[in-house]
């Protein structure tokens, strides 16, 4: 039997400058994302859509969700397999296509994890475990495109 996990988040628009959405230019895209007992995330839209460049936008968070989910599964599988990871950094990239109507979707995400392991004998298995992490990643399993990977594994 499958287990269900339930999540809750509150998103509150904070960008009313006094006249609400009376026109496209009269309101900010600012909002907060709140999850009980966690730090509040200040959000906005991408600057291309009149957003605040100093705040996280949904596209940033989407890309970060894919990257961090992959990392967490990857570290789990490395631990189980006796691969000692001492550093992990991913400079993930994504491409979103906007249509002439203004809608759009992500068509590609590439994860570029740089992993450091403690011994040379761990390098090959460390590279292979990215495939398994991708197969288990909840977020990658929820998107309608293939998540690409360009891992680099080095020795400490």
């Amino acid at each position: 039997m499958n287990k269900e996990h339930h999540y809750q988040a509150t998103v509150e628009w904070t960008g009313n400058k006094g006249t609400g959405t009376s026109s496209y230019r009269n309101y900010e895209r600012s909002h907060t994302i709140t999850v009980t007992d966690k730090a509040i995330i200040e959000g906005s839209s991408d600057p291309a859509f009149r957003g605040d460049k100093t705040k996280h936008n949904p596209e940033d968070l989407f890309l970060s969700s894919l990257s961090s989910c992959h990392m967490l599964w990857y570290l789990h599988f490395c631990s189980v397999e006796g691969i000692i990871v001492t550093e992990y950094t991913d400079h993930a990239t994504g491409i979103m296509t906007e249509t002439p109507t203004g809608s759009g979707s992500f068509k590609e995400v590439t994860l570029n994890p740089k992993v450091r392991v403690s011994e040379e004998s761990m390098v090959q298995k460390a590279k292979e475990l990215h495939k398994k992490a991708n197969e288990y990643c909840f977020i990658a399993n929820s998107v309608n495109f293939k998540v690409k990977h360009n891992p680099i594994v080095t020795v400490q």
Side-chain angles (χ1 to χ4, degrees):
M1 173 183 255
N2 292 339
K3 286 195 245 179
E4 284 190 350
H5 301 270
H6 298 261
Y7 300 90
Q8 294 182 359
T10 301
V11 176
E12 181 180 2
W13 175 50
T14 59
N16 184 348
K17 292 170 36 177
T19 60
T21 58
S22 60
S23 83
Y24 184 71
R25 297 184 185 282
N26 284 355
Y27 65 96
E28 293 178 4
R29 278 60 179 169
S30 297
H31 56 278
T32 57
I33 302 167
T34 307
V35 177
T36 303
D37 298 327
K38 297 180 182 178
I40 293 173
I41 297 172
E42 291 189 16
S44 187
S45 61
D46 185 280
F49 307 108
R50 301 193 48 77
D52 182 340
K53 68 180 181 180
T54 68
K55 296 178 181 175
H56 297 287
N57 61 58
E59 297 81 11
D60 294 335
L61 298 172
F62 177 73
L63 185 60
S64 299
S65 292
L66 278 165
S67 177
S68 61
C69 184
H70 178 85
M71 178 193 69
L72 293 169
W73 274 110
Y74 178 78
L75 295 174
H76 166 74
F77 290 129
C78 284
S79 176
V80 168
E81 294 287 335
I83 306 300
I84 300 170
V85 175
T86 58
E87 292 179 32
Y88 185 108
T89 304
D90 182 14
H91 297 284
T93 61
I95 300 172
M96 184 184 78
T97 302
E98 184 181 354
T99 68
T101 65
S103 71
S105 63
F106 273 83
K107 68 176 191 174
E108 178 180 305
V109 166
T110 303
L111 305 182
N112 299 290
K114 292 184 180 179
V115 179
R116 188 163 289 195
V117 296
S118 63
E119 297 176 24
E120 183 69 37
S121 63
M122 299 175 177
V123 170
Q124 188 56 41
K125 186 67 174 179
K127 288 179 182 178
E128 293 169 6
L129 287 174
H130 283 286
K131 182 179 185 312
K132 187 171 183 179
N134 185 66
E135 292 168 358
Y136 279 76
C137 174
F138 304 133
I139 310 301
N141 285 323
S142 300
V143 300
N144 63 357
F145 55 86
K146 183 179 177 187
V147 178
K148 299 175 182 179
H149 303 88
N150 293 320
I152 296 173
V153 179
T154 59
V155 179
Q156 183 174 7

